[in-house]
Amino acid sequence: MPASGALLSIPRLVDAASPAEAAPTGSAQAGKAAAPAAGGGSGSGTFPDFAKDFLTSDMNGLGSDGKPTGQTMTFTGASQAGVTAETASKEMTLTQEEQDILDGKEGEEKAKLMKILVAFGNTFGAEKLVDLGGAPHSNLFVGAPYMGSMIDMLNECADAGLKSYATYTVNPRPYDVYNVQNNPKDMEQIYLGYPLQAKLDYVHSKLGAPDLNLRSCACYLDEIGNAPAPGTYVAWCESSAVNYGNSVLGIRTNRNGAGMDLICAMLGKAPLFGLMTDEGRQAKWLIDVKTTEVPDWGTLGTAIGRKCVEDVPYVAGIDKYFEGGVVTPDNLHKLKAMGSATASSGAVGLYHVEGVTPEPKEKGRDLLVEGYQTYVFDDAEQQAIIDTFENLWPDKDADPTAAFIGCPHNTYHELMKWGKLVTDALDKAGQEKTAIPVYMFCANPVRNRLIEEEGELASKMKRSGMHATNMCGVVYAGMKGFSDRVRGVTNSAKTRSYSTIRYFPDQILVNAIVTGKIKA
Ligand code: F3S
């Protein structure tokens, strides 16, 4: 699942290292069937052949040569080298109210949820539970059969009258039969592949999610409005939202596994550990960005994720790309692109940007731990990382067939930017239509804003072959047979990490969209 690594480790498609090569020290060893501290595996025994790709994840460290560095994710939110479930765990102290819930005084369902939460907290060495504020964000968005037991569990809770402590946001749905998959073959696959989608959507509705128009991974955008105040404890899922929230909004959440978001939401509590603590928010890496031009944000994020894995980076040298050190609706896409790449090529749940994000503004380099490591990202390093991006199309020399723009979901500013880039290029070429379909992934309110405020541009985009869609592009790319029939191109380093879609800078993409050819 693209959104949160803790439910299931993703087979690394692009940077495939053999399990043996990737084997680290510690408990979360690849290739040895040793389970990570939580969520990534199920215990002992040998893996069958068909599961071999699941033995390594893209959340292992890679050097700029594309080879494993030996550092692996520990699933603790803030890594402790060589940590194991046994050494990390502690007994939390509960308040009387929490103990009463555990003892069943508020009903059987709540007692079960509390039992899970206490076990979760104990496993990760939490001292106590804390009350949550703001609003939750959930990445439970795929109604596939393998989610059945989770959906049933949530349904039982909803039927017992439990609800989230606040109205919450949810990731985009996995398909869009209105704008993209509106053909019988795709629809058949969807209805067979996601038979539990309606049940899941209904559960969300009962637990307190708003209508489907608000589905988006970029829940923090003004148009969606889930942006809790700095310092608020929340329990979010969705790796890109978690690291944007922690870093740019200054909220405090761990990278929770899918489902834990709603367990915490129904109890209004989460265990205090990892990225929710001052200690867990200290940076172990100084990332010194020294590119001569604006860095490629997705490549920079990929490099950071591979280097830091799940450690917190402190990024210096990019404040000049944020006027006055302020993150605005017009520039936040840079951090969205960088951050989501750190969270998908690694498992970074929080990054600090010197002179830009809230905590470094207050504490500066005091956020760096003693003995921190330094990683210089210059032009040569950027190119070295780009050179590791393999062409995974079955027919490597063929032309692209579709463009995927916006993972995480596009902002209003990005919709306008791409609309102008593409329609201007079409005008220049004397063309009315793009050579390949362009999917603009965004929440419905973001699309609606474009229609309302830039109607002429929006209709020109639509007529030219640019389709606004509110689904998740990566799940679309995961459809059976997709990589055999679609040669995708994208501006998203996250999409690159999780699919066979190829990643290019904007200008090459615009050209590919207009001409149907890739020209460097
Ligand atoms: Fe959003 Fe799907 Fe990408 S949830 S971040 S569009 S993987």
Side-chain angles (χ1 to χ4, degrees), residues 254-329:
N254 282 312
R255 275 174 56 109
N256 293 291
M260 196 52 75
D261 43 4
L262 292 175
I263 291 171
C264 291
M266 286 185 276
L267 292 168
K269 290 175 184 288
L272 182 67
F273 69 92
L275 298 174
M276 297 170 80
T277 66
D278 286 345
E279 190 196 352
R281 295 173 81 87
Q282 294 281 116
K284 293 189 179 158
W285 286 89
L286 172 66
I287 311 295
D288 200 359
V289 180
K290 291 190 159 163
T291 49
T292 48
E293 310 273 335
V294 186
D296 180 273
W297 299 105
T299 304
L300 172 59
T302 302
I304 295 172
R306 288 176 177 182
K307 185 59 80 177
C308 302
V309 185
E310 67 184 342
D311 288 341
V312 177
Y314 183 99
V315 188
I318 57 172
D319 50 320
K320 53 182 173 272
Y321 305 114
F322 298 85
E323 209 183 322
V326 182
V327 181
T328 65

Side-chain angles (χ1 to χ4, degrees), residues 1-4 10-11 13 58 141-142 146 171-175 181 194 217 238-240 340 344 404-409 439 441 469-480 482-483 490-501:
M1 184 169 294
S4 176
I10 305 295
L13 295 172
D58 50 2
F141 64 120
V142 178
Y146 62 81
N171 261 10
R173 293 174 94 232
Y175 56 79
Q181 293 137 314
Y194 304 112
C217 38
E238 165 49 42
S239 67
S240 67
S340 59
S344 53
F404 296 75
I405 309 295
C407 160
H409 270 180
Y439 302 120
F441 299 94
T469 170
N470 65 355
M471 69 169 156
C472 165
V474 166
V475 180
Y476 175 38
M479 269 182 88
K480 193 175 171 194
F482 176 96
S483 49
T490 186
N491 71 336
S492 163
K494 177 169 180 173
T495 297
R496 184 208 71 82
S497 279
Y498 291 139
S499 72
T500 56
I501 299 176

Side-chain angles (χ1 to χ4, degrees), residues 78 231 233 252 272-283 312 350 352 359 362-363 366-369:
Y233 291 128
R252 294 191 165 214
L272 182 67
F273 69 92
L275 298 174
M276 297 170 80
T277 66
D278 286 345
E279 190 196 352
R281 295 173 81 87
Q282 294 281 116
V312 177
L350 161 68
H352 299 299
E359 280 150 272
E362 198 188 310
K363 299 183 187 151
D366 287 350
L367 282 167
L368 285 158
V369 297

Side-chain angles (χ1 to χ4, degrees), residues 219-221 225-229 236 249 251:
C219 61
Y220 41 81
L221 298 182
N226 189 357
W236 280 13
L249 304 180
I251 61 174

Side-chain angles (χ1 to χ4, degrees), residues 402-417:
F404 296 75
I405 309 295
C407 160
H409 270 180
N410 283 300
T411 65
Y412 173 71
H413 171 85
E414 288 179 297
L415 283 190
M416 277 216 300
K417 175 188 121 173

